[in-house]
Amino acid sequence: MDKVYSHQKYESEIYRLWENSGAFTPRVDKKKKPFTIIMPPPNASDPLHIGHAREVATQDILIRYHRMKGEPTLWLPGADHAGIETQYVFEKKLAKEGKSRFDYSRETLYKMIWDYVMQNKKTMEGQLRVLGASCDWTRNRFTLDPDIIEIVYKTFKKLYDDGLVYRGERIVNYCPRCGTAYSQLEIDALERNDNLYYLNYGPVTIATTRPETIFADVAVAVNPKDERYKKLLGKTAVLPLVNRELPIIADGLVDVEFGTGALKITPGHDATDFEIGQKHKLATVSVIDEKGRMINTPQKYIGMKAGEAREAVVKDLYAAKKIKKIETIKHLVAVCYRDKGLIEPLVSTQWFIKVKPLAKRALLAVNKAEVKFTAEKFSKIAKHWLKNLRDWNISRQIVWGIRIPAWRCEKCLEWTITEGDQPAKCSSCGNANLKQDTDTFDTWFSSGQWPFATLQTLEPGDFSYFYPTSVMNPAYDILPFWVIRMIMLGLYTAGEVPFKEVLIHGLVRDKDGQKISKSKGNVIDPNEMVQKYGADALRVASIWGSLIENDNSLSEDSVRGQRNFANKIWNIGRFVFLEPKNKKGKRNEDDRIILKQLKTTTKRVTKLLDKYRINEATQVLYEFVWHKFADVYIEKAKSRRLEAQRTLDYVLQESLKLLHPFAPFVTETIWQESKGRFDTPLLISSSWPSP
Ligand SMILES: [Zn+2]
Ligand SMILES: [Zn+2]
């Protein structure tokens, strides 16, 4: 063996050895209970970041542990086309070349993004290999695989047939820059100061932060309990600048405390107003279009951007003496989660899923622990979301994604929904002139079906054997986007929860606990860390110190420190292999102590792994291998080498097994260097030490 372990010399060779041995592919055995993790599919458009390194390490540790315990173990890899994210990144790339998405036809743009994504996907998959991910590549899936799309279409059709999909005019969260609507979950709240204008509406004064929308007002509403306005109910207010009369109505949703307690009702540009408008059968007027420009207003404002129009309208209101006062208020505004710009609530016609019945069933599953969250705090968050979800807008105005299988009749304007095939004729009137909707599905609609969609499209029998899967291990920020939707859609389509346990993980932060981001300049590149210190060092460093559910700090120093641990393991192997095996040695007290300590360590590590306390398991092993085995036992054994050899070999073999899930490369390399000294040819396929 070399004096020093040089990871670069061995890692890729060892990975090939595992992959070629078929160790990543489980053997289905009906008599045994399988252990299954569906990998949260990384975005196919991005290389892996340091957070992925921790996620991959966590899942690979659990997978290798259960595989060694003899369970048929499946870790299913995949990639997500990540609709909005990818198109956003791609459009930025186009912009750098002085182009925009509108310079290309739908087909050309799709093809260009496809090629770009395929290239990145390959890089991402290479990174998973570099990190040692022992996932089953024969079952690798992509969210745009044709058979996956087929499943997504089937689910949509089933939802439609069950009356759970509707096309509705609703207030949507529209980002004029991204050019698409978003669901409630993709919106961030930003606190900022704005002017609150008190405007003269004749008999009432109303307060608004958005004077440019007054032309879309259709009523003024007051709370029925508000004594101040009782005598005005049924009368009319007057819209300034255009002198249109507006009915004064009563509605319990009006907040008596806000402004003057009289609210201008603008159903076209505010979600609450839309609700009030529907209740009172008021018209919906839009004065801002999807590009964020003014429409349906007095001529002088038409075509202005909403922000410019605000200034112009305020100026005119001022000149007309219609502004009674201006206050500054601190309030929350909705911003796009991608570009952080203002979201424009717009009325638009989109496809919606009625989530109430789905959420109700999912909530029941969480309450009954059909799905268990390993950390109670996340169970609470999931329940909160399940109780508060509004109908889910699943259409996106982008090309990168799964196109919605809905065709509109050019004659009767009704929609025909299929499982993906172009319909021959309109399902309402029989006309043959139909046009497919240009929108695509929200990415989370397809990834929400990932656990059953992947397993239903693989080997026959995979679904019935591996579903429901054992553990889902996503980052906490996608709990509402993804986890609860997988639970809803899994129960709805596959009849069972998609996974039995949810093991949410925290984020990787820098050594000062700061969030890692390009703008802070504290990015740690996983590739660079592996190059310099080896995959094992990065894996152990990324899980060291914190429970999975919590955020974790990482620095180059901590990775370097774990490289030293890998070297220590290597040196132990080298020392033990200096002498041939000796079955006969007589055991003394030292031997008995180390064997007892090994037993205790095995017990503790097994227990900790079963409880997902992988950071503590690593620390227990570190302590045992470095201090008890190397510092104490090996030092003493030097004086009675031949006698101790039997124990040395045994403790090394068992230590390598225990260490393998955490540091798979160095342990397998030593195992191979032993030239058949141990009980199986491959460490990855050896059995877990029994406590
Ligand atoms: Zn945006
Ligand atoms: Zn028709």
Side-chain angles (χ1 to χ4, degrees), residues 409 412 426 429:
C409 173
C412 74
C426 167
C429 76

Side-chain angles (χ1 to χ4, degrees), residues 144-369:
L144 295 183
D145 286 342
D147 49 357
I148 297 276
I149 294 179
E150 236 173 76
I151 299 256
V152 172
Y153 281 163
K154 273 199 183 126
T155 302
F156 181 67
K157 177 77 161 57
K158 182 172 145 73
L159 284 161
Y160 183 78
D161 291 344
D162 287 348
L164 295 174
V165 164
Y166 65 93
R167 188 148 174 92
E169 190 173 69
R170 286 283 178 279
I171 278 273
V172 294
N173 301 298
Y174 199 88
C175 174
R177 294 157 307 278
C178 294
T180 184
Y182 283 119
S183 77
Q184 154 198 16
L185 300 178
E186 283 145 318
I187 304 309
D188 288 339
L190 178 78
E191 194 179 57
R192 66 170 202 187
N193 288 322
D194 272 310
N195 285 339
L196 182 66
Y197 300 91
Y198 285 78
L199 306 181
N200 181 342
Y201 271 48
V204 286
T205 300
I206 62 98
T208 180
T209 55
R210 301 203 60 190
E212 74 279 15
T213 64
I214 60 170
F215 307 111
D217 290 358
V218 293
V220 167
V222 296
N223 193 298
K225 289 193 188 125
D226 195 336
E227 293 297 332
R228 294 172 293 178
Y229 296 114
K230 277 228 158 109
K231 57 182 188 305
L232 287 179
L233 286 176
K235 304 228 162 64
T236 53
V238 184
L239 187 61
L241 301 183
V242 289
N243 297 326
R244 194 163 76 220
E245 291 199 349
L246 303 171
I248 299 174
I249 59 170
D251 195 290
L253 283 178
V254 177
D255 179 1
V256 191
E257 306 286 319
F258 180 78
T260 62
L263 185 69
K264 76 190 205 46
I265 299 302
T266 322
H269 299 286
D270 182 274
T272 309
D273 293 10
F274 185 81
E275 207 176 308
I276 294 176
Q278 294 279 299
K279 221 187 311 171
H280 297 270
K281 304 204 163 35
L282 300 170
T284 300
V285 180
S286 299
V287 294
I288 301 169
D289 72 4
E290 298 188 340
K291 295 210 163 75
R293 293 187 184 274
M294 304 305 289
I295 47 169
N296 303 327
T297 63
Q299 191 57 41
K300 63 182 294 195
Y301 311 116
I302 287 182
M304 284 184 182
K305 283 202 165 169
E308 293 163 15
R310 180 177 304 178
E311 279 174 34
V313 170
V314 166
K315 216 172 131 205
D316 293 343
L317 285 167
Y318 195 73
K321 299 201 164 47
K322 294 291 180 187
I323 300 182
K324 291 196 154 175
K325 66 171 171 172
I326 304 173
E327 281 174 359
T328 306
I329 55 160
K330 189 175 254 185
H331 66 155
L332 292 175
V333 293
V335 294
C336 170
Y337 85 116
R338 285 261 33 152
D339 55 41
K340 307 295 173 203
L342 276 188
I343 282 292
E344 198 61 69
L346 291 184
V347 170
S348 155
T349 311
Q350 311 262 346
W351 294 103
F352 287 87
I353 292 181
K354 286 184 193 165
V355 295
K356 276 275 170 313
L358 304 179
K360 209 176 141 194
R361 176 71 187 87
L363 187 61
L364 193 69
V366 177
N367 282 332
K368 283 182 14 197

Side-chain angles (χ1 to χ4, degrees), residues 390-659:
R390 275 182 259 142
D391 283 359
W392 177 9
N393 165 18
I394 53 164
S395 33
R396 295 291 178 273
Q397 293 70 53
I398 56 171
V399 308
W400 182 242
I402 301 174
R403 195 162 171 185
I404 298 177
W407 282 261
R408 188 170 211 183
C409 173
E410 306 217 316
K411 202 164 134 201
C412 74
L413 302 181
E414 289 297 323
W415 291 89
T416 302
I417 309 292
T418 74
E419 290 184 358
D421 301 325
Q422 161 109 34
K425 53 189 191 353
C426 167
S427 58
S428 300
C429 76
N431 170 44
N433 272 338
L434 302 165
K435 231 192 209 142
Q436 188 174 3
D437 193 351
T438 53
D439 287 358
T440 50
F441 283 127
D442 177 7
T443 301
W444 301 103
F445 180 64
S446 46
S447 58
Q449 303 176 49
W450 194 235
F452 65 83
T454 49
L455 290 170
Q456 283 178 348
T457 50
L458 287 163
E459 307 293 320
D462 267 9
F463 177 71
S464 62
Y465 188 63
F466 293 110
Y467 192 95
T469 64
S470 312
V471 182
M472 175 50 68
N473 176 227
Y476 64 67
D477 51 355
I478 54 173
L479 168 65
F481 291 104
W482 196 41
V483 178
I484 62 172
R485 279 153 175 182
M486 279 192 287
I487 301 173
M488 291 196 299
L489 291 171
L491 282 162
Y492 173 72
T493 310
E496 270 183 283
V497 293
F499 28 75
K500 290 174 216 139
E501 283 190 276
V502 185
L503 178 63
I504 301 262
H505 68 77
L507 306 177
V508 173
R509 294 175 177 271
D510 75 4
K511 62 176 190 307
D512 305 316
Q514 297 270 348
K515 218 173 161 167
I516 288 180
S517 73
K518 273 184 202 147
S519 57
K520 288 203 178 98
N522 58 356
V523 168
I524 305 170
D525 177 12
N527 288 336
E528 190 193 325
M529 291 300 112
V530 171
Q531 280 288 321
K532 280 170 127 167
Y533 307 110
D536 294 332
L538 177 59
R539 288 168 61 116
V540 175
S542 75
I543 59 150
W544 190 266
S546 299
L547 285 174
I548 296 170
E549 68 208 54
N550 297 331
D551 290 353
N552 200 3
S553 284
L554 188 76
S555 64
E556 181 158 356
D557 282 344
S558 56
V559 182
R560 193 184 300 120
Q562 296 302 343
R563 194 252 330 254
N564 298 343
F565 183 42
N567 280 335
K568 190 77 196 174
I569 304 169
W570 180 260
N571 289 337
I572 295 171
R574 241 179 112 244
F575 174 77
V576 173
F577 298 160
L578 285 175
E579 293 294 333
K581 273 181 99 166
N582 175 14
K583 277 193 178 158
K584 288 197 199 104
K586 205 170 138 243
R587 289 200 159 131
N588 76 353
E589 187 56 21
D590 294 339
D591 301 330
R592 277 189 287 278
I593 290 173
I594 192 70
L595 288 170
K596 204 171 153 217
Q597 286 169 336
L598 172 67
K599 209 168 170 182
T600 323
T601 303
T602 306
K603 237 186 226 163
R604 284 185 70 193
V605 170
T606 306
K607 216 174 185 175
L608 288 167
L609 281 174
D610 286 336
K611 288 185 177 160
Y612 305 117
R613 302 178 83 89
I614 58 173
N615 59 311
E616 290 169 28
T618 335
Q619 273 154 300
V620 168
L621 275 171
Y622 184 95
E623 172 66 25
F624 172 75
V625 171
W626 195 312
H627 300 301
K628 298 192 171 107
F629 188 30
D631 288 354
V632 179
Y633 180 76
I634 288 183
E635 281 314 307
K636 284 186 170 175
K638 283 178 180 165
S639 60
R640 49 183 282 273
R641 182 64 207 250
L642 287 184
E643 235 179 40
Q645 188 62 35
R646 182 177 156 206
T647 308
L648 283 170
D649 267 306
Y650 180 71
V651 177
L652 174 62
Q653 172 183 288
E654 300 300 285
S655 300
L656 291 176
K657 289 182 180 180
L658 293 172
L659 285 166

